[in-house]
Amino acid sequence: NRIVKIPQYFTSMELEISPEEPVSGNDVTIIALLPNNATKDVTLTVDGIDYTVPVEDGIAVLTVENPAAGEHTVTASYPGDDNYTEASAEISFAVNKVTPEVTVTVSPEEPVYGDKVTVTVNYPADATVWSEIPLPPGGMNPAGMITIKLDGNELTTVDGSEGVLVYELPAAFFGAGGHTVKIIFNGDDKYSSRTVETAFTVTKKDVTITANNQELIYNGLTQGEGDTVYEDPDLIAQKVTAATLADGD
């Protein structure tokens, strides 16, 4: 009798990633495509961790839950069977961080000199609070997730709570005139960093001046013939005799 050896077919295997452009916080599906009648399991190795995945109708599917942001490598190996040879394949994919929604508002919207001015920052509620991030022995506690700058000067870097940070601007850092608040969201494993800013104007505060039994309003205007109100309080002291300054009515 004559024995005829039937050669194995070359195994074609391809890998696909779904979605094609994954982002943090979402699962990633790895798909291995083989011949329809392949009978053995596929070994998928993701970032050095092996997974044994059964093949059904030529398809092996592995779902990786919430992979970290950054680059990932997948290798696949098929051991071969009675009909098909061994095969291997490799693919890489990148998980991008989510662009966070960050807003900043100033209250009151039209402050007057001397008012308390509060900045409210809203950011994703599931962002990681930096002060709660585990650190290795000897590691320094991070300052915080939100950096606040006023007119280019850094005031503080702190954490908020559940997506909200409320911060009162130090009155000593701003006077009457235009100002800009810049918020830097420093990001975490899921969210990328982002910078937003807003502008506000502090108006001058009226001051009542009483001199020589005449009442004048300190606002840089001339009040009647020959009676001038000076914007600089030092000039007022020099120009008006026995003047009394009081906060405006």
Side-chain angles (χ1 to χ4, degrees):
N1 293 331
R2 186 177 178 184
I3 298 174
V4 178
K5 186 175 181 180
I6 300 175
Q8 292 174 304
Y9 289 100
F10 174 76
T11 306
S12 173
M13 181 167 58
E14 297 180 0
L15 294 177
E16 295 181 353
I17 301 296
S18 179
E20 293 182 359
E21 297 181 357
V23 295
S24 295
N26 296 316
D27 297 343
V28 172
T29 300
I30 302 168
I31 304 169
L33 302 175
L34 296 104
N36 290 339
N37 57 343
T39 59
K40 296 294 184 68
D41 295 340
V42 170
T43 299
L44 293 175
T45 304
V46 184
D47 298 331
I49 300 176
D50 292 338
Y51 302 87
T52 300
V53 185
V55 177
E56 296 183 8
D57 298 326
I59 300 175
V61 179
L62 173 67
T63 298
V64 180
E65 296 184 357
N66 190 20
E71 294 288 334
H72 300 269
T73 300
V74 179
T75 58
S77 62
Y78 184 71
D81 55 33
D82 293 340
N83 299 315
Y84 295 99
T85 60
E86 297 178 2
S88 62
E90 182 174 322
I91 193 172
S92 297
F93 65 94
V95 176
N96 299 311
K97 290 188 176 184
V98 178
T99 300
E101 181 70 23
V102 180
T103 62
V104 55
T105 57
V106 173
S107 179
E109 293 182 359
E110 298 179 354
V112 176
Y113 178 72
D115 288 348
K116 291 182 178 180
V117 177
T118 300
V119 173
T120 300
V121 182
N122 294 97
Y123 59 94
D126 62 341
T128 304
V129 178
W130 280 36
S131 58
E132 295 179 357
I133 297 176
L135 296 174
M140 296 181 62
N141 287 325
M145 178 178 296
I146 307 293
T147 299
I148 301 177
K149 292 186 177 183
L150 176 63
D151 299 331
N153 300 308
E154 183 172 329
L155 300 181
T156 186
T157 299
V158 293
D159 277 331
S161 177
E162 298 182 351
V164 179
L165 171 65
V166 179
Y167 180 78
E168 183 178 317
L169 296 177
F173 282 80
F174 65 92
H179 301 278
T180 300
V181 174
K182 178 179 289 187
I183 301 299
I184 302 173
F185 175 81
N186 293 309
D188 59 10
D189 289 342
K190 178 178 180 179
Y191 295 101
S192 61
S193 61
R194 187 176 179 189
T195 299
V196 297
E197 62 181 56
T198 189
F200 67 98
T201 300
V202 177
T203 59
K204 294 181 179 181
K205 186 173 185 178
D206 290 343
V207 176
T208 299
I209 303 173
T210 303
N212 299 329
N213 298 322
Q214 296 182 24
E215 187 174 87
L216 305 176
I217 304 299
Y218 170 58
N219 59 7
L221 302 177
T222 299
Q223 304 292 321
E225 185 175 356
D227 296 327
T228 301
V229 177
Y230 296 88
E231 290 196 16
D232 189 336
D234 292 336
L235 291 178
I236 294 173
Q238 297 171 17
K239 299 293 184 178
V240 181
T241 303
T244 300
L245 295 175
D247 284 345
D249 297 326

